Amino acid sequence: TGLLVFGQTPAVEQPPRMNYVVEAINSQIDRGATNVEQALSLAAAMLPDDKQGRLVVMSDGVETEGNLSRVLD
């Protein structure tokens, strides 16, 4: 389990590991834009190659930068 936050650019808050507790989100992100493409690209790169991964995305759904269709298969 890991935690990535994003706005205009993504930031890794917690890298993937077996157990962790989120006490606070400390990453500074630009909340003036939403780039889901960059966020999903970084999240996919963090997933282990030898295991099936899952992503949970929480967003307002308004993509203001990037192109989500480039990273979806």
Side-chain angles (χ1 to χ4, degrees), residues 12-36:
V12 177
E13 186 67 28
Q14 296 277 344
R17 59 180 126 184
M18 293 302 293
N19 296 308
Y20 76 92
V21 176
V22 176
E23 295 178 5
I25 295 177
N26 297 309
S27 297
Q28 299 295 313
I29 57 168
D30 180 352
R31 295 170 19 165
T34 303
N35 192 328
V36 182

Side-chain angles (χ1 to χ4, degrees), residues 26-61:
N26 297 309
S27 297
Q28 299 295 313
I29 57 168
D30 180 352
R31 295 170 19 165
T34 303
N35 192 328
V36 182
E37 175 191 4
Q38 270 193 348
L40 290 182
S41 293
L42 179 56
M46 291 171 48
L47 296 173
D49 290 333
D50 60 337
K51 297 182 180 155
Q52 182 177 351
R54 292 182 178 91
L55 301 174
V56 176
V57 178
M58 289 187 258
S59 171
D60 61 7

